[in-house]
Amino acid sequence: MRDIISSIEGEWRRYKALGEGALRQLRDEELGKSGPGEGNSAAIIVWHIAGNLKSRFTDFLSSDGEKPWRNREAEFQARSNVTRAQLLEQWDGGWSTLFGALKPMTDENLSGIVTIRGEKFRVHEALHRLLAHTSYHVGQIVYLAKSFRGTEWTSLSIAHGKSEEFNRNPTGQRPPK
């Protein structure tokens, strides 16, 4: 069975779709633009998410999730001239690694042990921790895109003032497959 794994994977797919919805609303010249208060750009956040997913989920069940080849510090380098194609290549690479690692897993794997930076975690603990980390950073991308779009922002969830309308005909509550 893989009911729980499928549920966790579905949430990751929800956040992937949310991030992509926000990235689509960014103009090309905004991809590498720092956020308010000189915060990270969407490109930096994408590099970090991708680096984290690649490192954690390459040989997820059998090797330390912090790979010796990962250069976390480089993920935070400014990318003011990044192209959309470069950004999406990084983004897709991280997600492909994640989904490739989850595909063969079953719920029986959840009680196993994985290592991240030398610390042992049950698989279910690591998955929840990593899902929370990913969603945190996707939320930052959404915030950046919304701040750059202002009144031109197209809501990625229930639009402000539309709760009653949505509740009459709720859709999109299940993660994409």
Side-chain angles (χ1 to χ4, degrees):
M1 282 184 43
R2 60 185 323 271
D3 293 339
I4 298 169
I5 292 289
S6 292
S7 174
I8 294 169
E9 180 181 342
E11 286 305 304
W12 253 306
R13 290 191 185 281
R14 180 191 313 272
Y15 283 102
K16 180 179 185 285
L18 183 64
E20 289 169 352
L23 291 171
R24 276 192 299 275
Q25 293 191 56
L26 287 171
R27 296 182 180 125
D28 289 348
E29 65 272 11
E30 293 169 335
L31 297 173
K33 183 178 175 183
S34 293
E38 296 305 310
N40 291 327
S41 68
I44 287 173
I45 299 167
V46 165
W47 252 257
H48 177 58
I49 290 172
N52 189 267
L53 293 176
K54 289 174 187 175
S55 183
R56 298 294 184 263
F57 289 99
T58 297
D59 303 321
F60 176 61
L61 297 174
S62 60
S63 70
D64 193 304
E66 186 65 17
K67 303 298 184 283
W69 45 258
R70 182 181 184 199
N71 184 349
R72 185 180 179 280
E73 295 305 316
E75 295 165 13
F76 292 92
Q77 292 175 350
R79 291 183 167 74
S80 57
N81 294 318
V82 69
T83 67
R84 188 169 296 273
Q86 291 168 324
L87 182 113
L88 294 177
E89 181 180 355
Q90 281 296 315
W91 178 261
D92 291 338
W95 291 101
S96 293
T97 303
L98 164 68
F99 294 131
L102 293 178
K103 187 174 184 174
M105 289 181 61
T106 66
D107 290 351
E108 287 75 40
N109 294 115
L110 293 170
S111 60
I113 302 291
V114 295
T115 306
I116 302 172
R117 292 192 182 107
E119 189 174 350
K120 305 286 186 195
F121 294 89
R122 294 253 181 227
V123 169
H124 67 86
E125 293 171 322
L127 292 175
H128 283 111
R129 173 185 171 182
L130 298 166
L131 175 60
H133 180 259
T134 305
S135 65
Y136 169 79
H137 288 303
V138 167
Q140 291 176 319
I141 294 170
V142 172
Y143 172 77
L144 278 173
K146 189 172 181 179
S147 70
F148 290 151
R149 286 289 62 73
T151 59
E152 297 172 17
W153 173 253
T154 301
S155 178
L156 300 172
S157 61
I158 303 169
H160 185 67
K162 302 286 186 174
S163 295
E164 283 187 36
E165 181 181 326
F166 179 82
N167 289 339
R168 285 193 297 274
N169 187 24
T171 59
Q173 296 184 87
R174 295 214 176 262
K177 296 200 183 228

